[in-house]
Amino acid sequence: MQSLNGEIEYLVEEYIRRISGEEGFAIFRSCPEKEFTDEEISVKTGIDLNSVRRVLFLLYEAGLAEYRREKDEDSGWLTYYWKINTEKANEIIKKELERTRENFMAKIEYERENMFYYCENGCGKFVFEAAMSYNFSCPECGRPLQFADNTRLLEFLENEIRRIEDILSLL
Amino acid sequence: MKDDDVLAFIRERGEILQKDLWKEMGIDSRKCSKILKRLEERGMVEREKTTVDGVVTFRITAIRKPELNHLPPCFGCPESYCEPAECEKLDVWVWTVGIKMSGED
């Protein structure tokens, strides 16, 4: 298992991957600490300029990048000077983990309050009332519905919440 | 041809010789070499020098990152508002990853 510090770094990386894809992560990794232009990153990574711009704006929206613009007096062209700002990374991860924890708690409550049945053909999962209305046969394929024991899942979600809280305590 | 296209191809194979990779992907050998160097710097692939039939080449192996699916879909989810109890993505994650991971304990 990774150490918690390693895990935080991994979470930052995964967050960037999720908002901007594998290419976005490559762009993020290639950005220097000092100010840079999108063209410099495009040359450095071999990724086309439009993709680099799209990713930099995604990082900006997430709060992980900032920019300033300069207008060329002669041509009127705008040049964007970018800078990666990782100061907010911990704050973003904290917010995402808190949201995940809240969602897990809501999911636990829902799973505790209901009984579930599922189709072994993978057609779906149904709450008790719905399963009863289908006479405990899958409405898609007719196969008898099976009781879904969620005890292990509840334990799993509770463990995950503890894990999230361990990470949150370090942020 | 983007770096990630080459990466996806390598991941699909698991490992491949560099001399076969550029031929199979229909790209220039120099371009292929540059792409692989960048992928190596990003920590996505490993390159190991090898000799096959008297030809010196590299054995390219995709580095397996931790599977994304052990992180729930809530993390980095683009939805600003949701009903977790009714979220299909979360439900699928809980009932697949949860079962698998709790079975490994």
Side-chain angles (χ1 to χ4, degrees):
Chain A
M1 185 190 270
Q2 302 173 74
S3 68
L4 282 179
N5 282 333
E7 186 133 5
I8 290 166
E9 198 181 315
Y10 168 69
L11 289 173
V12 174
E13 290 182 1
E14 285 306 324
Y15 178 75
I16 293 165
R17 280 198 177 91
R18 286 189 174 197
I19 62 164
S20 63
E22 201 63 58
E23 195 173 71
F25 180 63
I27 290 166
F28 178 81
R29 281 271 300 262
S30 70
C31 293
E33 281 185 28
K34 59 179 175 57
E35 220 174 40
F36 57 88
T37 65
D38 41 20
E39 283 176 359
E40 287 165 6
I41 299 301
S42 178
V43 169
K44 192 172 170 184
T45 58
I47 296 169
D48 68 271
L49 193 54
N50 280 342
S51 299
V52 172
R53 284 180 179 153
R54 186 186 63 83
V55 166
L56 288 172
F57 276 105
L58 283 171
L59 293 174
Y60 168 75
E61 281 172 8
L64 290 167
E66 53 196 34
Y67 68 84
R68 66 181 177 86
R69 285 183 301 192
E70 261 184 32
K71 192 175 181 180
D72 186 295
E73 293 298 328
D74 298 326
S75 66
W77 282 97
L78 285 171
T79 304
Y80 284 76
Y81 292 94
W82 290 90
K83 198 169 187 306
I84 293 296
N85 178 9
T86 50
E87 283 172 19
K88 282 191 179 170
N90 273 17
E91 197 184 307
I92 292 164
I93 297 307
K94 190 178 172 198
K95 201 173 137 200
E96 290 298 319
L97 288 174
E98 282 172 347
R99 167 164 78 159
T100 303
R101 179 179 57 181
E102 279 173 28
N103 288 358
F104 279 3
M105 287 160 91
K107 185 71 178 163
I108 286 175
E109 195 182 336
Y110 181 67
E111 292 285 333
R112 276 206 184 115
E113 285 174 355
N114 289 284
M115 282 168 70
F116 298 97
Y117 289 80
Y118 70 100
C119 172
E120 283 179 322
N121 283 343
C123 301
K125 189 184 110 186
F126 311 90
V127 291
F128 175 79
E129 292 78 7
M132 195 166 66
S133 74
Y134 298 130
N135 209 17
F136 297 97
S137 292
C138 176
E140 297 283 329
C141 69
R143 190 168 179 159
L145 295 175
Q146 301 294 316
F147 174 66
D149 181 2
N150 60 8
T151 317
R152 276 162 61 197
L153 292 176
L154 290 169
E155 284 170 12
F156 164 71
L157 284 174
E158 282 160 359
N159 283 337
E160 287 296 293
I161 287 177
R162 277 193 286 276
R163 178 78 185 151
I164 288 172
E165 282 168 352
D166 282 347
I167 301 171
L168 281 171
S169 68
L170 292 175
L171 291 169
Chain B
M1 182 72 63
K2 290 181 179 177
D3 292 12
D4 283 5
D5 295 331
V6 176
L7 180 61
F9 191 86
I10 299 166
R11 278 183 172 161
E12 204 175 293
R13 295 294 184 89
E15 69 166 46
I16 188 167
L17 295 173
Q18 185 167 328
K19 73 178 181 66
D20 296 332
L21 178 66
W22 63 266
K23 284 176 198 161
E24 286 189 37
M25 292 205 77
I27 51 175
D28 181 66
S29 63
R30 283 184 187 173
K31 188 177 180 185
C32 181
S33 179
K34 281 181 185 171
I35 291 173
L36 289 172
K37 196 164 177 286
R38 285 197 294 266
L39 290 176
E40 190 179 30
E41 282 168 2
R42 280 166 57 188
M44 310 307 284
V45 301
E46 270 177 352
R47 293 202 298 172
E48 186 196 350
K49 210 171 197 175
T50 184
T51 306
V52 180
D53 300 330
V55 179
V56 178
T57 184
F58 287 94
R59 187 178 302 282
I60 313 296
T61 315
I63 295 175
R64 294 284 166 199
K65 296 275 179 183
E67 292 294 329
L68 255 187
N69 64 7
H70 81 259
L71 264 180
C74 314
F75 187 85
C77 178
E79 301 292 333
S80 52
Y81 176 79
C82 71
E83 282 290 342
E86 290 169 16
C87 175
E88 197 182 337
K89 282 184 191 168
L90 177 60
D91 195 54
V92 169
W93 182 82
V94 168
W95 282 87
T96 51
V97 179
I99 283 279
K100 185 171 166 264
M101 291 186 76
S102 57
E104 285 171 359
D105 289 341

